[in-house]
């Protein structure tokens, strides 16, 4: 029976190995297929890449989707895939070489730049549009304007009742995004001056969830990209030191509104090939018209 | 050796290999999880991880306090148990002992359909319907509370609890119940003095697995509990926002740079979560075996 036992063992071992190997080959293939299909679509005379991936900020996502759709209608043979996930996710993907363009609603951090350089990636920045961050409250709230000091107090925990900022006697429900959001980082830098958010702030995984909660909660306050602003919530006028300014397109474009920020694309080195064509399209008058349509503000 | 025997052995090894894959996968998963979690403690003391009351992963200096997240998971789970265990056991008793077969035949599959609803759907329902309801009924500053999460998780744990308790109750030998009835007990006396105690081990195991289901649930909890990393009071914490371990991992893993302390902290939380559910499963199994009803 020695041969039987041996046979049994050999068969068992090889089976286990086979299954594990298949699994790993499977895992390996997931990324490969994309590259293969890209290579297949390249025509013989044109060796340029015909498809790119754009990934990152959820704030820029609707804009990039609109831009890429129009771009692909104009250039049917080219393909652009747009993926959200947050500014940090996009920059991390650019550093790992997974994507050609990263979308970020904040500047690249020093730590990320160091990481990129360690990986041989050189992030180059392109500002494609401007966005305003609206601080929103429930339409029933009587407060219509806040100074930066008051806003900071609300977000760092020193002010917890609307009565302290001229409203009704109602506890403030403070809402933030999760830390993957570029808006989270931007707001922390501009309003909280890099201090920490209060510990008991509600953390929402998406901007839509902030609008939802503010629209149904009388005491809530949150911040959202201007494109997400609708009738279910009221945007506050803010005072960044030069008097109260309403969150209107004119004020954001003129730079008077204190929470206006650039939206940017990052590429590895100067953009080239399809990425450059796409960027040129975004910066063209047609592309900048789309920026306005989506609810953001053109660069010029 | 005959051809037939080789074939027999071949099939046997094939099945063994399939079984082994599960074990190997679990082993690899453990190694990966614990190794990455352990790396946190190179730069961050274990004692701070276990006792710090703050979770500020992106601050300077960083705070990776497990406590608010762990207790957040605990309070949401306790709430879910308080809600789902009485309801689940009552339903199980009704289905297996009282309902006429026609109704039982409808009720049982329907409770099992509950298990098939994706958790994000539960979360969406919770966010849109239950959150405003809780806020308005209880006059709270926000409806995104531990309680809301508990109710949603309770509903999600119901199918597990109902179907397992029902099995346990049905498997109580007929002779026991008939003996009790023959002695003149009413139906209700038989249920709570004879049937339920006899099925207790199965019911307890069902409850433990229900807890395991609740503590590991992510999407629903993330959508309805508000995710504030504060240490909840008890029972007042039920009416305030909390953040669970699962929600923390789901919320933050997107942003975190690979290999950073924050990254390893999330793995450390994952390890804690894994160990917790592992213990719960072992206890459930133990109860089930130790107190299995023997006739």
């Amino acid at each position: 029976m020695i041969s039987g036992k041996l046979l049994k063992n050999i068969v068992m071992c090889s089976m286990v190995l086979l299954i594990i190997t298949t699994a790993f080959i499977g895992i390996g293939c997931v990324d490969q297929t994309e590259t293969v299909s890209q290579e297949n679509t390249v025509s013989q005379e044109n060796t340029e890449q015909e498809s790119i991936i754009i990934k990152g900020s959820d704030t820029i996502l609707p804009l990039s989707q609109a831009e890429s759709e129009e771009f692909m209608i104009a250039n049917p043979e080219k393909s652009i895939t747009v993926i959200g996930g947050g500014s940090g996710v996009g920059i991390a993907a650019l550093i790992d070489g997974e994507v050609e363009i990263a979308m970020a609603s904040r500047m690249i951090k020093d730590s990320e730049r160091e990481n990129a350089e360690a990986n041989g990636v050189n992030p180059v920045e392109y500002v494609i549009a401007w966005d305003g961050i609206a601080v929103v409250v429930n339409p029933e709230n009587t407060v219509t304007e806040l100074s930066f000091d008051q806003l900071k107090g609300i977000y760092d925990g020193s002010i917890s009742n609307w009565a302290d900022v001229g409203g009704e006697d109602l506890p403030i429900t403070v809402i933030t995004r999760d830390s993957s959001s570029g808006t989270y980082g931007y707001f922390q830098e501009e309003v909280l001056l890099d201090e920490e958010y209060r510990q008991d702030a509600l953390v929402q995984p998406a901007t839509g969830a902030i609008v939802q909660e503010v629209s149904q909660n009388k005491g809530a306050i949150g911040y959202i990209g201007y494109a997400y602003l609708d009738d279910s919530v009221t945007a506050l006028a803010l005072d960044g030191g030069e008097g109260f300014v309403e969150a209107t397109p004119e004020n954001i474009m003129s730079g008077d509104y204190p929470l206006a920020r650039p939206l940017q694309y990052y590429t590895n080195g100067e953009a080239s090939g399809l990425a450059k064509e796409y960027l040129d399209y975004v910066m063209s008058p047609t592309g900048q018209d789309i920026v306005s349509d989506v609810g953001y503000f053109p660069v010029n | 050796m005959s051809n037939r025997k080789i074939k027999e052995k071949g099939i046997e090894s094939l099945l063994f290999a399939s079984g082994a894959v599960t074990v190997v996968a679990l082993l690899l998963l453990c190694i990966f999880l614990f190794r990455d979690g352990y790396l946190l403690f190179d730069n961050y003391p274990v004692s701070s991880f276990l006792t710090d009351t703050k979770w500020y992963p992106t601050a300077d200096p960083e705070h990776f306090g497990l406590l608010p997240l762990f207790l957040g998971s605990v309070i949401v789970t306790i709430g879910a148990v308080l809600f789902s265990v009485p309801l689940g056991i009552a339903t199980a008793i009704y289905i297996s002992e009282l309902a006429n077969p026609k109704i039982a035949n409808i009720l049982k599959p329907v409770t099992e359909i509950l298990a098939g609803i994706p958790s994000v759907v539960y979360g969406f329902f919770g966010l849109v319907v239950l959150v405003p309801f809780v806020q308005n009924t209880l006059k709270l500053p926000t409806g995104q509370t531990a309680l809301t999460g508990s109710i949603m998780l309770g509903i999600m744990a119901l199918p597990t609890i109902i179907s397992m308790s029902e099995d346990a109750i049905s498997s109580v030998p007929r002779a026991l119940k008939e003996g009790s009835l023959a002695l003149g007990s009413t139906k209700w006396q038989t249920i709570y003095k004879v049937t339920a105690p006899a099925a207790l081990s199965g019911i307890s195991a069902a409850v433990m697995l229900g807890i395991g289901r609740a503590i590991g649930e992510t999407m629903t909890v993330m959508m309805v509990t508000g995710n504030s990393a504060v240490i909840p009071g008890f029972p007042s914490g039920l009416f305030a926002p909390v953040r669970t371990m699962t929600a923390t991992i789901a919320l933050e893993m997107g942003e975190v740079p690979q290999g950073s302390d924050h990254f390893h902290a999330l793995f450390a939380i994952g390890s804690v979560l894994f160990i917790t559910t592992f213990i719960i499963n072992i206890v459930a199994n133990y109860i089930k075996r130790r107190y299995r009803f023997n006739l």
Side-chain angles (χ1 to χ4, degrees), chain A residues 78-156:
Chain A
K78 312 206 163 143
S79 139
I80 297 173
T81 311
V82 185
I83 310 168
S87 301
V89 178
I91 292 175
L94 182 73
I95 293 172
D96 292 340
E98 290 166 20
V99 300
E100 284 76 14
I101 300 179
M103 319 180 262
S105 56
R106 57 165 170 79
M107 297 295 203
I108 189 166
K109 291 179 192 163
D110 289 341
S111 60
E112 286 167 338
R113 201 171 272 284
E114 281 161 25
N115 261 342
E117 274 155 17
N119 258 15
V121 171
N122 171 31
V124 176
E125 183 180 296
Y126 297 88
V127 174
I128 55 157
W130 283 79
D131 180 27
I133 304 292
V135 175
V136 293
V137 295
N138 190 282
E140 286 181 41
N141 198 318
T142 52
V143 175
T144 55
E145 51 187 31
L146 287 175
S147 72
F148 262 39
D149 281 343
Q150 288 171 324
L151 197 56
K152 178 170 184 292
I154 289 172
Y155 269 90
D156 71 13

Side-chain angles (χ1 to χ4, degrees), chain B residues 253-281:
Chain B
M253 71 178 176
E255 161 77 350
V256 62
Q258 288 238 347
S260 66
D261 280 354
H262 187 186
F263 179 82
H264 294 309
L266 293 184
F267 272 94
I269 291 181
S271 310
V272 173
L273 197 60
F274 178 79
I275 294 168
T276 317
T277 40
F278 191 65
I279 292 174
I280 290 172
N281 274 312

Side-chain angles (χ1 to χ4, degrees), chain B residues 48 54 75 88 116 141 215 220 244:
Chain B
S48 311
K54 287 191 185 117
I75 196 166
I215 212 164
T220 314
T244 62

Side-chain angles (χ1 to χ4, degrees), chain A residues 1 11 17 112 151 162 179 214 296:
Chain A
M1 280 315 285
V11 171
L17 280 176
E112 286 167 338
L151 197 56
W162 283 110
S179 58
V214 172
Y296 296 119

Side-chain angles (χ1 to χ4, degrees), chain A residues 1 3-4 7-8 11-12 15-16 19-20 24 85 87-89 96 106 109 112 115 171 173 178-181 184 188 196-205 209 212-213 216-219, chain B residues 1 5-6 9-10 12-14 16-18 20-21 24 28 53-56 58-59 68 127-128 131-132 135 141-144 222-223 226-230 241 243 251-252 254-255 257 262:
Chain A
M1 280 315 285
S3 67
L7 187 73
K8 190 174 147 188
V11 171
M12 266 183 206
M15 274 300 169
V16 172
I19 291 174
I20 294 174
F24 277 105
S87 301
V89 178
D96 292 340
R106 57 165 170 79
K109 291 179 192 163
E112 286 167 338
N115 261 342
T173 302
D178 58 276
S179 58
S180 319
S181 152
Y184 172 97
Q188 186 172 28
E196 274 306 318
Y197 286 94
R198 62 193 296 158
Q199 221 179 342
D200 61 358
L202 295 189
V203 180
Q204 299 295 316
Q212 164 78 18
E213 175 70 11
Q216 72 193 20
N217 186 341
K218 213 180 154 195
Chain B
M1 201 154 76
K5 206 160 182 191
I6 293 179
K9 287 282 175 203
E12 193 188 314
S13 349
L14 196 72
F16 170 81
S18 320
V21 169
V24 171
L28 288 176
T53 58
K54 287 191 185 117
W55 177 263
Y56 278 138
T58 50
L127 186 63
V128 177
V131 166
Q135 184 187 354
T142 172
Q144 302 200 5
M222 182 167 86
M223 289 170 81
N227 305 313
S228 310
V230 281
R243 184 193 285 206
L251 275 172
E252 293 173 7
E255 161 77 350
H262 187 186

